[in-house]
Amino acid sequence: MLRLREAVVVEGKHDAVRLAQIVDAPIVATNGFRIFKDAEQMAYLRRLAAVRGLVILTDSDAAGFVIRRHLSGSIPPEQIKQAYAPCIAGKERRKAHPSKEGLLGVEGIDPAVLEEALRRAGVTVEGEESVPCSPWMTKARLFSDGLSGSEDSARRRAALLAALQLPPYLSANRLMEVLNLTISEEEYAALLKNI
């Protein structure tokens, strides 16, 4: 079990139960879109972020990204780490039907995959030396690699995101951040050759 310095924010109670299997840290469920109207919970999250730091781990669907953007815009960026659950098709066992987009939520993803997502986000694990990853992807490189600013960049970006099992909702700026957190420069170069 990972003992984290940061608190982790997820969407729902089932996500929190799944995460509690792998982390020892405060886990806060936003209760979906309720976070938009719950000033008390938002104040609590701001306080947690100031004291411990926050890791945002939402589902890879459109709703998850709406919640992620809201939280990211409400809390100072230096107090937040972004962890991304991969896009995996399927449905959770407790549900009769898959989600609207047919993707597993945090609650349905294997704990080992979630642990890897948290580690790639740069969480602080007690008892382990944290090694900050140096960013290798830049806006200029996204442009020169044809992933932004060109006629075909949206298609190329979508193909790269699909190959990485990442959500298709990522803007070029967010893609830059995610690439720096989730893969090495060598892995990126190999993927780019196949696009």
Side-chain angles (χ1 to χ4, degrees):
M1 180 165 286
L2 300 176
R3 175 168 271 161
L4 303 183
R5 180 189 187 320
E6 299 89 355
V8 184
V9 180
V10 293
E11 288 181 59
K13 65 181 180 182
H14 295 287
D15 299 334
V17 168
R18 170 63 86 186
L19 209 56
Q21 296 173 2
I22 59 171
V23 301
D24 179 10
I27 301 169
V28 181
T30 66
N31 298 313
F33 291 143
R34 183 172 174 204
I35 190 67
F36 295 116
K37 295 180 181 177
D38 193 339
E40 192 174 298
Q41 188 180 40
M42 199 66 226
Y44 174 61
L45 289 174
R46 285 188 182 107
R47 179 75 179 139
L48 268 178
V51 173
R52 298 181 69 115
L54 284 183
V55 179
I56 299 174
L57 177 62
T58 58
D59 295 349
S60 295
D61 58 9
F65 271 76
V66 169
I67 293 167
R68 182 184 295 273
R69 277 191 300 271
H70 177 71
L71 293 171
S72 297
S74 302
I75 297 169
E78 64 274 6
Q79 297 173 355
I80 296 175
K81 293 180 180 175
Q82 304 280 350
Y84 293 91
C87 283
I88 300 173
K91 77 168 191 66
E92 288 79 10
R93 275 188 259 159
R94 71 178 180 86
K95 295 181 178 176
H97 304 286
S99 69
K100 180 180 176 183
E101 296 175 38
L103 300 173
L104 288 176
V106 168
E107 71 175 276
I109 295 177
D110 182 81
V113 174
L114 292 175
E115 180 179 338
E116 180 62 21
L118 290 168
R119 287 185 180 279
R120 286 188 178 260
V123 295
T124 308
V125 181
E126 288 185 24
E128 292 182 13
E129 187 177 327
S130 68
V131 180
C133 59
S134 52
W136 53 269
M137 177 54 74
T138 63
K139 287 183 180 183
R141 182 153 182 197
L142 280 179
F143 180 79
S144 68
D145 288 347
L147 294 170
S148 72
S150 68
E151 199 172 291
D152 197 32
S153 61
R155 184 200 59 79
R156 291 176 55 80
R157 209 169 39 250
L160 177 65
L161 290 168
L164 292 169
Q165 290 186 312
L166 289 170
Y169 310 106
L170 296 179
S171 66
N173 286 338
R174 187 66 76 180
L175 173 62
M176 179 180 66
E177 175 187 312
V178 172
L179 289 174
N180 281 319
L181 289 172
T182 60
I183 66 172
S184 70
E185 190 171 3
E186 293 76 23
E187 291 171 310
Y188 166 77
L191 281 171
L192 200 59
K193 286 180 183 178
N194 297 323
I195 294 177

